[in-house]
Amino acid sequence: MFKSATVKLTTWYMAILITISLLFSVVIYSITSSEVGNRLGYFSGAPKFSFSVDNPTLFNNYRNIQIREARASLITSLAITNVCIWIAGGIGSYYLARRSLKPIEEAHEAQSRFTSDASHELRTPLASMKTEIEVALRDGSITKEEMRELLESNLEEVDKLSQLSHMLLQLSRLDHDNIPREKVNLQEVIERSVERFNKPHKRISIEPGKARSVLANPSSTEELLSILLDNALKYSPEDSTVNVKYITHKGFAGFEVINSGEGIPAKVLPHIFDRFYRVDSSRTSGEKRGYGLGLSLAKKIVELSRGELSVSSAPEGLTTFTVLLPIFSSDKAKNQQ
């Protein structure tokens, strides 16, 4: 579809270019041809051209020959020039057409891939629930305990669907909307999130440091931190500690979430923020299994906050997610408004 659109757009560009160049050539030819005729006609009356008076026929023939040669040379030059313009214009038109359609093509591909992946992720738990229910209905001797296990299994799948739909809605909202930014006390957000995660885990510690207020959205920043903390806890040993560290860098302030574990292979680091991307199915089974949307949502939140989110990881070493957000100041706040 986009190849056909590129060809059509290139054709339209070329049609416009050819029309303009032909009209320009006709005007140039008319003006130049007329000027040549007038100049040679002027020479016939000039005193120094005595042969024009003695033998006007000879001069007229000479003048006509010069006019024809000048016109032929002009036509040749214009033809060569137009061909060069058309060749260069064709290449330039194709490049401009591809450049104009590329963002649309990428958005279309991303939307198609997102729809396909979302459909697959929704189909899996629904199929699991349907199979379990059908088996239970066919089994006339099912016990109360077995029915309870079935309901608990279905409830687990419903929770997964709820989580998936929540993330999909969040991503959709962030894709077509903006988030209001205001002064956010980073220390309060981090301490509140860590306290909530530490109730069941007791594995997160905050390194001493100075936290700065940032220009961001309070609820989105808390959600961002929750995603990174949950990811760090999920992919680190149960007896290890996840560290949160305050950082400041060139007009930005933020935090690092550091955990130990298997690490992330270098070849997949550029893709971990892609939607529905999971590093390895063998590492994301059971409780670790996710939908590959959390880090995509985190990346989107940071981008809308005009900040930066990066990751570094060493095999069997430390994995560090770094978040930098603009430092809050009254001048910046006024400019944003």
Side-chain angles (χ1 to χ4, degrees):
M1 179 178 67
F2 285 97
K3 289 183 179 179
S4 175
T6 301
V7 173
K8 290 179 181 179
L9 191 57
T10 302
T11 303
W12 276 108
Y13 286 158
M14 283 298 300
I16 294 172
L17 179 64
I18 291 173
T19 301
I20 293 175
S21 65
L22 288 177
L23 289 175
F24 185 75
S25 298
V26 169
V27 172
I28 292 295
Y29 176 79
S30 300
I31 294 175
T32 306
S33 179
S34 176
E35 184 67 19
V36 169
N38 292 336
R39 289 289 180 179
L40 290 176
Y42 168 77
F43 289 155
S44 63
K48 60 181 180 179
F49 291 100
S50 57
F51 69 88
S52 63
V53 177
D54 298 336
N55 194 347
T57 302
L58 179 63
F59 175 79
N60 288 333
N61 291 335
Y62 173 77
R63 185 182 65 179
N64 292 333
I65 292 172
Q66 292 299 311
I67 290 175
R68 285 196 298 270
E69 290 180 353
R71 287 176 176 174
S73 177
L74 180 60
I75 291 174
T76 303
S77 299
L78 288 175
I80 295 173
T81 302
N82 280 325
V83 170
C84 293
I85 290 175
W86 294 346
I87 294 174
I91 297 172
S93 297
Y94 181 80
Y95 171 76
L96 289 176
R98 287 294 303 159
R99 186 173 181 180
S100 300
L101 292 174
K102 188 176 181 180
I104 303 174
E105 183 177 5
E106 290 176 349
H108 182 268
E109 290 178 354
Q111 184 180 12
S112 299
R113 185 171 59 252
F114 180 75
T115 303
S116 176
D117 291 339
S119 300
H120 174 74
E121 295 293 348
L122 288 169
R123 190 183 303 116
T124 302
L126 289 174
S128 175
M129 292 171 62
K130 181 180 178 181
T131 302
E132 290 179 350
I133 293 172
E134 286 177 346
V135 171
L137 289 175
R138 290 172 185 167
D139 187 1
S141 61
I142 188 170
T143 64
K144 184 177 180 181
E145 185 63 28
E146 290 174 338
M147 183 61 71
R148 181 180 179 85
E149 291 179 2
L150 171 65
L151 293 175
E152 288 177 350
S153 175
N154 286 342
L155 182 60
E156 183 180 346
E157 296 297 337
V158 169
D159 289 338
K160 291 179 180 179
L161 287 173
S162 297
Q163 181 185 7
L164 175 60
S165 61
H166 170 73
M167 287 190 173
L168 289 173
L169 288 172
Q170 286 288 88
L171 283 169
S172 178
R173 180 179 65 85
L174 293 178
D175 278 339
H176 301 91
D177 200 0
N178 209 337
I179 54 176
R181 299 191 297 158
E182 58 186 72
K183 181 179 180 181
V184 175
N185 189 319
L186 203 56
Q187 183 174 357
E188 291 181 359
V189 171
I190 290 177
E191 289 179 350
R192 186 165 56 248
S193 298
V194 169
E195 182 181 0
R196 186 175 70 254
F197 273 89
N198 267 340
K199 287 180 180 179
H201 297 288
K202 306 290 184 182
R203 289 176 49 199
I204 306 174
S205 68
I206 303 175
E207 294 187 11
K210 183 180 179 182
R212 302 286 299 272
S213 294
V214 296
L215 186 62
N217 181 268
S219 60
S220 295
T221 304
E222 191 164 345
E223 184 171 11
L224 162 67
L225 183 59
S226 297
I227 291 171
L228 297 180
L229 290 176
D230 180 68
N231 188 77
L233 291 170
K234 189 181 294 182
Y235 296 105
S236 61
E238 293 184 359
D239 58 348
S240 65
T241 301
V242 174
N243 296 312
V244 180
K245 179 182 178 181
Y246 298 113
I247 57 172
T248 304
H249 179 72
K250 295 181 179 179
F252 290 83
F255 56 88
E256 291 179 339
V257 177
I258 308 168
N259 69 277
S260 58
E262 297 180 23
I264 305 173
K267 63 180 181 180
V268 303
L269 275 177
H271 305 289
I272 63 171
F273 297 112
D274 295 345
R275 296 181 182 183
F276 291 105
Y277 185 85
R278 288 188 287 266
V279 176
D280 186 355
S281 58
S282 63
R283 299 174 60 206
T284 55
S285 58
E287 293 182 357
K288 289 185 179 181
R289 188 182 186 279
Y291 293 105
L293 289 174
L295 292 179
S296 298
L297 182 57
K299 183 74 171 179
K300 193 66 179 180
I301 291 172
V302 174
E303 288 176 351
L304 291 176
S305 300
R306 296 174 176 81
E308 299 177 6
L309 172 60
S310 59
V311 59
S312 62
S313 183
E316 302 300 332
L318 297 178
T319 298
T320 303
F321 283 88
T322 303
V323 175
L324 290 172
L325 300 170
I327 293 177
F328 176 84
S329 68
S330 56
D331 293 338
K332 285 185 178 180
K334 290 177 181 178
N335 291 334
Q336 292 300 324
Q337 295 174 357

mmCIF file of all heavy atoms in Angstrom, residues 216-253:
data_model
loop_
_atom_site.group_PDB
_atom_site.id
_atom_site.type_symbol
_atom_site.label_atom_id
_atom_site.label_comp_id
_atom_site.label_asym_id
_atom_site.label_seq_id
_atom_site.Cartn_x
_atom_site.Cartn_y
_atom_site.Cartn_z
ATOM 1 N N ALA A 216 6.815 17.486 36.725
ATOM 2 C CA ALA A 216 6.241 16.243 36.202
ATOM 3 C C ALA A 216 4.801 16.126 36.663
ATOM 4 O O ALA A 216 4.242 17.056 37.267
ATOM 5 C CB ALA A 216 7.069 15.043 36.663
ATOM 6 N N ASN A 217 4.200 14.979 36.372
ATOM 7 C CA ASN A 217 2.851 14.701 36.829
ATOM 8 C C ASN A 217 2.925 13.769 38.036
ATOM 9 O O ASN A 217 3.555 12.713 37.958
ATOM 10 C CB ASN A 217 2.048 14.035 35.706
ATOM 11 C CG ASN A 217 0.619 13.740 36.103
ATOM 12 O OD1 ASN A 217 0.324 12.659 36.586
ATOM 13 N ND2 ASN A 217 -0.258 14.694 35.891
ATOM 14 N N PRO A 218 2.320 14.139 39.171
ATOM 15 C CA PRO A 218 2.479 13.347 40.402
ATOM 16 C C PRO A 218 2.046 11.893 40.256
ATOM 17 O O PRO A 218 2.805 10.973 40.580
ATOM 18 C CB PRO A 218 1.602 14.099 41.410
ATOM 19 C CG PRO A 218 1.497 15.483 40.879
ATOM 20 C CD PRO A 218 1.534 15.354 39.397
ATOM 21 N N SER A 219 0.830 11.651 39.768
ATOM 22 C CA SER A 219 0.334 10.272 39.670
ATOM 23 C C SER A 219 1.119 9.465 38.646
ATOM 24 O O SER A 219 1.408 8.284 38.861
ATOM 25 C CB SER A 219 -1.155 10.283 39.317
ATOM 26 O OG SER A 219 -1.370 10.933 38.075
ATOM 27 N N SER A 220 1.487 10.090 37.534
ATOM 28 C CA SER A 220 2.255 9.376 36.507
ATOM 29 C C SER A 220 3.655 9.038 37.007
ATOM 30 O O SER A 220 4.191 7.965 36.707
ATOM 31 C CB SER A 220 2.349 10.216 35.236
ATOM 32 O OG SER A 220 1.081 10.409 34.656
ATOM 33 N N THR A 221 4.262 9.956 37.778
ATOM 34 C CA THR A 221 5.591 9.694 38.328
ATOM 35 C C THR A 221 5.549 8.533 39.315
ATOM 36 O O THR A 221 6.447 7.681 39.334
ATOM 37 C CB THR A 221 6.140 10.949 39.015
ATOM 38 O OG1 THR A 221 6.151 12.035 38.084
ATOM 39 C CG2 THR A 221 7.560 10.722 39.520
ATOM 40 N N GLU A 222 4.500 8.475 40.112
ATOM 41 C CA GLU A 222 4.351 7.367 41.057
ATOM 42 C C GLU A 222 4.122 6.056 40.311
ATOM 43 O O GLU A 222 4.653 5.008 40.701
ATOM 44 C CB GLU A 222 3.191 7.652 42.015
ATOM 45 C CG GLU A 222 3.132 6.704 43.192
ATOM 46 C CD GLU A 222 2.234 7.217 44.305
ATOM 47 O OE1 GLU A 222 1.889 8.423 44.299
ATOM 48 O OE2 GLU A 222 1.885 6.408 45.180
ATOM 49 N N GLU A 223 3.349 6.101 39.247
ATOM 50 C CA GLU A 223 3.134 4.896 38.447
ATOM 51 C C GLU A 223 4.416 4.453 37.774
ATOM 52 O O GLU A 223 4.719 3.252 37.695
ATOM 53 C CB GLU A 223 2.047 5.150 37.409
ATOM 54 C CG GLU A 223 1.682 3.919 36.598
ATOM 55 C CD GLU A 223 0.461 4.133 35.726
ATOM 56 O OE1 GLU A 223 0.029 5.301 35.596
ATOM 57 O OE2 GLU A 223 -0.051 3.149 35.192
ATOM 58 N N LEU A 224 5.201 5.415 37.283
ATOM 59 C CA LEU A 224 6.496 5.124 36.679
ATOM 60 C C LEU A 224 7.406 4.393 37.668
ATOM 61 O O LEU A 224 8.009 3.358 37.346
ATOM 62 C CB LEU A 224 7.140 6.434 36.216
ATOM 63 C CG LEU A 224 8.645 6.431 35.948
ATOM 64 C CD1 LEU A 224 8.969 5.556 34.747
ATOM 65 C CD2 LEU A 224 9.137 7.860 35.724
ATOM 66 N N LEU A 225 7.503 4.920 38.883
ATOM 67 C CA LEU A 225 8.339 4.295 39.902
ATOM 68 C C LEU A 225 7.828 2.905 40.263
ATOM 69 O O LEU A 225 8.613 1.966 40.455
ATOM 70 C CB LEU A 225 8.395 5.188 41.145
ATOM 71 C CG LEU A 225 9.282 4.715 42.299
ATOM 72 C CD1 LEU A 225 10.718 4.555 41.834
ATOM 73 C CD2 LEU A 225 9.207 5.683 43.462
ATOM 74 N N SER A 226 6.518 2.747 40.342
ATOM 75 C CA SER A 226 5.938 1.444 40.674
ATOM 76 C C SER A 226 6.292 0.401 39.613
ATOM 77 O O SER A 226 6.603 -0.752 39.948
ATOM 78 C CB SER A 226 4.418 1.565 40.794
ATOM 79 O OG SER A 226 4.064 2.436 41.848
ATOM 80 N N ILE A 227 6.270 0.800 38.340
ATOM 81 C CA ILE A 227 6.611 -0.123 37.256
ATOM 82 C C ILE A 227 8.060 -0.577 37.388
ATOM 83 O O ILE A 227 8.376 -1.776 37.277
ATOM 84 C CB ILE A 227 6.378 0.549 35.894
ATOM 85 C CG1 ILE A 227 4.887 0.769 35.649
ATOM 86 C CG2 ILE A 227 6.977 -0.292 34.765
ATOM 87 C CD1 ILE A 227 4.585 1.621 34.441
ATOM 88 N N LEU A 228 8.957 0.367 37.652
ATOM 89 C CA LEU A 228 10.382 0.028 37.740
ATOM 90 C C LEU A 228 10.684 -0.807 38.981
ATOM 91 O O LEU A 228 11.506 -1.735 38.926
ATOM 92 C CB LEU A 228 11.220 1.307 37.731
ATOM 93 C CG LEU A 228 11.129 2.152 36.448
ATOM 94 C CD1 LEU A 228 12.002 3.394 36.555
ATOM 95 C CD2 LEU A 228 11.515 1.334 35.222
ATOM 96 N N LEU A 229 10.039 -0.493 40.102
ATOM 97 C CA LEU A 229 10.257 -1.281 41.315
ATOM 98 C C LEU A 229 9.718 -2.702 41.148
ATOM 99 O O LEU A 229 10.365 -3.678 41.549
ATOM 100 C CB LEU A 229 9.587 -0.595 42.515
ATOM 101 C CG LEU A 229 10.230 0.704 43.001
ATOM 102 C CD1 LEU A 229 9.405 1.313 44.125
ATOM 103 C CD2 LEU A 229 11.661 0.463 43.460
ATOM 104 N N ASP A 230 8.545 -2.822 40.571
ATOM 105 C CA ASP A 230 7.962 -4.144 40.341
ATOM 106 C C ASP A 230 8.840 -4.963 39.408
ATOM 107 O O ASP A 230 9.057 -6.168 39.623
ATOM 108 C CB ASP A 230 6.564 -3.981 39.748
ATOM 109 C CG ASP A 230 5.895 -5.326 39.472
ATOM 110 O OD1 ASP A 230 5.581 -6.032 40.445
ATOM 111 O OD2 ASP A 230 5.706 -5.659 38.297
ATOM 112 N N ASN A 231 9.377 -4.318 38.373
ATOM 113 C CA ASN A 231 10.262 -5.002 37.432
ATOM 114 C C ASN A 231 11.542 -5.455 38.124
ATOM 115 O O ASN A 231 12.024 -6.577 37.908
ATOM 116 C CB ASN A 231 10.587 -4.054 36.270
ATOM 117 C CG ASN A 231 11.350 -4.742 35.159
ATOM 118 O OD1 ASN A 231 10.800 -5.474 34.365
ATOM 119 N ND2 ASN A 231 12.657 -4.494 35.108
ATOM 120 N N ALA A 232 12.100 -4.590 38.984
ATOM 121 C CA ALA A 232 13.342 -4.925 39.693
ATOM 122 C C ALA A 232 13.127 -6.084 40.665
ATOM 123 O O ALA A 232 13.966 -6.981 40.775
ATOM 124 C CB ALA A 232 13.857 -3.698 40.431
ATOM 125 N N LEU A 233 12.020 -6.079 41.382
ATOM 126 C CA LEU A 233 11.725 -7.159 42.317
ATOM 127 C C LEU A 233 11.488 -8.471 41.591
ATOM 128 O O LEU A 233 11.873 -9.549 42.053
ATOM 129 C CB LEU A 233 10.496 -6.805 43.158
ATOM 130 C CG LEU A 233 10.670 -5.667 44.169
ATOM 131 C CD1 LEU A 233 9.318 -5.256 44.744
ATOM 132 C CD2 LEU A 233 11.616 -6.083 45.293
ATOM 133 N N LYS A 234 10.845 -8.383 40.427
ATOM 134 C CA LYS A 234 10.470 -9.586 39.679
ATOM 135 C C LYS A 234 11.683 -10.307 39.120
ATOM 136 O O LYS A 234 11.731 -11.542 39.068
ATOM 137 C CB LYS A 234 9.514 -9.190 38.556
ATOM 138 C CG LYS A 234 8.869 -10.362 37.837
ATOM 139 C CD LYS A 234 7.964 -9.859 36.723
ATOM 140 C CE LYS A 234 6.773 -9.086 37.282
ATOM 141 N NZ LYS A 234 5.861 -8.645 36.203
ATOM 142 N N TYR A 235 12.709 -9.546 38.708
ATOM 143 C CA TYR A 235 13.862 -10.146 38.041
ATOM 144 C C TYR A 235 15.126 -10.103 38.882
ATOM 145 O O TYR A 235 16.228 -9.996 38.350
ATOM 146 C CB TYR A 235 14.096 -9.449 36.689
ATOM 147 C CG TYR A 235 12.959 -9.659 35.736
ATOM 148 C CD1 TYR A 235 12.053 -8.624 35.469
ATOM 149 C CD2 TYR A 235 12.762 -10.877 35.119
ATOM 150 C CE1 TYR A 235 11.000 -8.820 34.603
ATOM 151 C CE2 TYR A 235 11.705 -11.082 34.244
ATOM 152 C CZ TYR A 235 10.827 -10.049 33.988
ATOM 153 O OH TYR A 235 9.777 -10.240 33.132
ATOM 154 N N SER A 236 14.988 -10.184 40.169
ATOM 155 C CA SER A 236 16.139 -10.262 41.067
ATOM 156 C C SER A 236 15.903 -11.373 42.082
ATOM 157 O O SER A 236 14.755 -11.722 42.376
ATOM 158 C CB SER A 236 16.359 -8.920 41.773
ATOM 159 O OG SER A 236 15.225 -8.580 42.559
ATOM 160 N N PRO A 237 16.963 -11.952 42.630
ATOM 161 C CA PRO A 237 16.799 -13.024 43.627
ATOM 162 C C PRO A 237 15.985 -12.542 44.825
ATOM 163 O O PRO A 237 16.060 -11.373 45.208
ATOM 164 C CB PRO A 237 18.245 -13.343 44.029
ATOM 165 C CG PRO A 237 19.078 -12.899 42.862
ATOM 166 C CD PRO A 237 18.383 -11.708 42.303
ATOM 167 N N GLU A 238 15.235 -13.467 45.426
ATOM 168 C CA GLU A 238 14.346 -13.094 46.525
ATOM 169 C C GLU A 238 15.098 -12.648 47.773
ATOM 170 O O GLU A 238 14.527 -11.965 48.626
ATOM 171 C CB GLU A 238 13.427 -14.267 46.854
ATOM 172 C CG GLU A 238 12.445 -14.591 45.744
ATOM 173 C CD GLU A 238 11.477 -15.689 46.133
ATOM 174 O OE1 GLU A 238 11.600 -16.201 47.277
ATOM 175 O OE2 GLU A 238 10.604 -16.037 45.322
ATOM 176 N N ASP A 239 16.360 -13.040 47.893
ATOM 177 C CA ASP A 239 17.137 -12.631 49.065
ATOM 178 C C ASP A 239 18.016 -11.410 48.788
ATOM 179 O O ASP A 239 18.843 -11.038 49.612
ATOM 180 C CB ASP A 239 18.016 -13.790 49.549
ATOM 181 C CG ASP A 239 18.969 -14.289 48.457
ATOM 182 O OD1 ASP A 239 18.790 -13.892 47.290
ATOM 183 O OD2 ASP A 239 19.883 -15.071 48.790
ATOM 184 N N SER A 240 17.846 -10.779 47.619
ATOM 185 C CA SER A 240 18.662 -9.614 47.269
ATOM 186 C C SER A 240 17.927 -8.327 47.606
ATOM 187 O O SER A 240 16.734 -8.329 47.929
ATOM 188 C CB SER A 240 19.007 -9.641 45.779
ATOM 189 O OG SER A 240 17.828 -9.508 44.999
ATOM 190 N N THR A 241 18.639 -7.232 47.521
ATOM 191 C CA THR A 241 18.084 -5.915 47.833
ATOM 192 C C THR A 241 18.005 -5.069 46.574
ATOM 193 O O THR A 241 18.940 -5.054 45.763
ATOM 194 C CB THR A 241 18.952 -5.187 48.873
ATOM 195 O OG1 THR A 241 19.007 -5.976 50.058
ATOM 196 C CG2 THR A 241 18.369 -3.818 49.219
ATOM 197 N N VAL A 242 16.908 -4.364 46.416
ATOM 198 C CA VAL A 242 16.744 -3.393 45.336
ATOM 199 C C VAL A 242 17.023 -2.009 45.906
ATOM 200 O O VAL A 242 16.429 -1.621 46.916
ATOM 201 C CB VAL A 242 15.323 -3.454 44.745
ATOM 202 C CG1 VAL A 242 15.128 -2.328 43.723
ATOM 203 C CG2 VAL A 242 15.072 -4.811 44.096
ATOM 204 N N ASN A 243 17.938 -1.286 45.275
ATOM 205 C CA ASN A 243 18.341 0.028 45.770
ATOM 206 C C ASN A 243 17.753 1.140 44.902
ATOM 207 O O ASN A 243 17.733 1.030 43.671
ATOM 208 C CB ASN A 243 19.870 0.159 45.789
ATOM 209 C CG ASN A 243 20.521 -0.810 46.764
ATOM 210 O OD1 ASN A 243 20.091 -0.925 47.914
ATOM 211 N ND2 ASN A 243 21.548 -1.518 46.322
ATOM 212 N N VAL A 244 17.321 2.200 45.578
ATOM 213 C CA VAL A 244 16.850 3.405 44.902
ATOM 214 C C VAL A 244 17.796 4.537 45.278
ATOM 215 O O VAL A 244 18.024 4.795 46.463
ATOM 216 C CB VAL A 244 15.407 3.761 45.296
ATOM 217 C CG1 VAL A 244 14.960 5.022 44.571
ATOM 218 C CG2 VAL A 244 14.460 2.607 44.976
ATOM 219 N N LYS A 245 18.327 5.210 44.264
ATOM 220 C CA LYS A 245 19.352 6.227 44.493
ATOM 221 C C LYS A 245 18.948 7.536 43.830
ATOM 222 O O LYS A 245 18.541 7.553 42.662
ATOM 223 C CB LYS A 245 20.687 5.735 43.919
ATOM 224 C CG LYS A 245 21.838 6.706 44.056
ATOM 225 C CD LYS A 245 23.093 6.127 43.407
ATOM 226 C CE LYS A 245 24.261 7.094 43.492
ATOM 227 N NZ LYS A 245 25.469 6.530 42.822
ATOM 228 N N TYR A 246 19.056 8.637 44.575
ATOM 229 C CA TYR A 246 18.772 9.969 44.013
ATOM 230 C C TYR A 246 19.943 10.413 43.148
ATOM 231 O O TYR A 246 21.114 10.210 43.493
ATOM 232 C CB TYR A 246 18.553 10.992 45.132
ATOM 233 C CG TYR A 246 17.372 10.706 46.023
ATOM 234 C CD1 TYR A 246 17.554 10.371 47.377
ATOM 235 C CD2 TYR A 246 16.074 10.757 45.549
ATOM 236 C CE1 TYR A 246 16.468 10.111 48.208
ATOM 237 C CE2 TYR A 246 14.987 10.492 46.367
ATOM 238 C CZ TYR A 246 15.197 10.168 47.691
ATOM 239 O OH TYR A 246 14.127 9.905 48.508
ATOM 240 N N ILE A 247 19.627 11.073 42.019
ATOM 241 C CA ILE A 247 20.682 11.585 41.140
ATOM 242 C C ILE A 247 20.288 12.967 40.625
ATOM 243 O O ILE A 247 19.109 13.328 40.580
ATOM 244 C CB ILE A 247 20.946 10.648 39.946
ATOM 245 C CG1 ILE A 247 19.657 10.422 39.143
ATOM 246 C CG2 ILE A 247 21.540 9.336 40.393
ATOM 247 C CD1 ILE A 247 19.877 9.663 37.845
ATOM 248 N N THR A 248 21.292 13.739 40.219
ATOM 249 C CA THR A 248 21.103 15.051 39.593
ATOM 250 C C THR A 248 22.107 15.173 38.458
ATOM 251 O O THR A 248 23.267 14.788 38.612
ATOM 252 C CB THR A 248 21.324 16.194 40.603
ATOM 253 O OG1 THR A 248 20.458 16.002 41.726
ATOM 254 C CG2 THR A 248 21.019 17.540 39.969
ATOM 255 N N HIS A 249 21.647 15.722 37.314
ATOM 256 C CA HIS A 249 22.547 15.815 36.163
ATOM 257 C C HIS A 249 22.084 16.910 35.210
ATOM 258 O O HIS A 249 21.040 16.806 34.577
ATOM 259 C CB HIS A 249 22.605 14.469 35.426
ATOM 260 C CG HIS A 249 23.494 14.478 34.221
ATOM 261 N ND1 HIS A 249 24.881 14.524 34.309
ATOM 262 C CD2 HIS A 249 23.203 14.443 32.892
ATOM 263 C CE1 HIS A 249 25.393 14.512 33.108
ATOM 264 N NE2 HIS A 249 24.399 14.479 32.221
ATOM 265 N N LYS A 250 22.848 18.002 35.128
ATOM 266 C CA LYS A 250 22.664 19.057 34.123
ATOM 267 C C LYS A 250 21.214 19.521 33.960
ATOM 268 O O LYS A 250 20.616 19.399 32.888
ATOM 269 C CB LYS A 250 23.196 18.591 32.767
ATOM 270 C CG LYS A 250 24.693 18.348 32.738
ATOM 271 C CD LYS A 250 25.158 17.925 31.364
ATOM 272 C CE LYS A 250 26.665 17.710 31.326
ATOM 273 N NZ LYS A 250 27.132 17.273 29.994
ATOM 274 N N GLY A 251 20.658 20.063 35.015
ATOM 275 C CA GLY A 251 19.299 20.587 34.940
ATOM 276 C C GLY A 251 18.223 19.546 35.089
ATOM 277 O O GLY A 251 17.036 19.854 34.979
ATOM 278 N N PHE A 252 18.619 18.308 35.328
ATOM 279 C CA PHE A 252 17.665 17.220 35.531
ATOM 280 C C PHE A 252 17.910 16.567 36.887
ATOM 281 O O PHE A 252 19.039 16.558 37.388
ATOM 282 C CB PHE A 252 17.804 16.147 34.439
ATOM 283 C CG PHE A 252 17.340 16.598 33.083
ATOM 284 C CD1 PHE A 252 18.177 17.327 32.247
ATOM 285 C CD2 PHE A 252 16.063 16.282 32.632
ATOM 286 C CE1 PHE A 252 17.752 17.733 31.003
ATOM 287 C CE2 PHE A 252 15.634 16.687 31.376
ATOM 288 C CZ PHE A 252 16.472 17.417 30.566
ATOM 289 N N ALA A 253 16.866 16.057 37.462
ATOM 290 C CA ALA A 253 16.963 15.293 38.705
ATOM 291 C C ALA A 253 16.119 14.048 38.568
ATOM 292 O O ALA A 253 15.171 14.002 37.772
ATOM 293 C CB ALA A 253 16.497 16.131 39.891
#
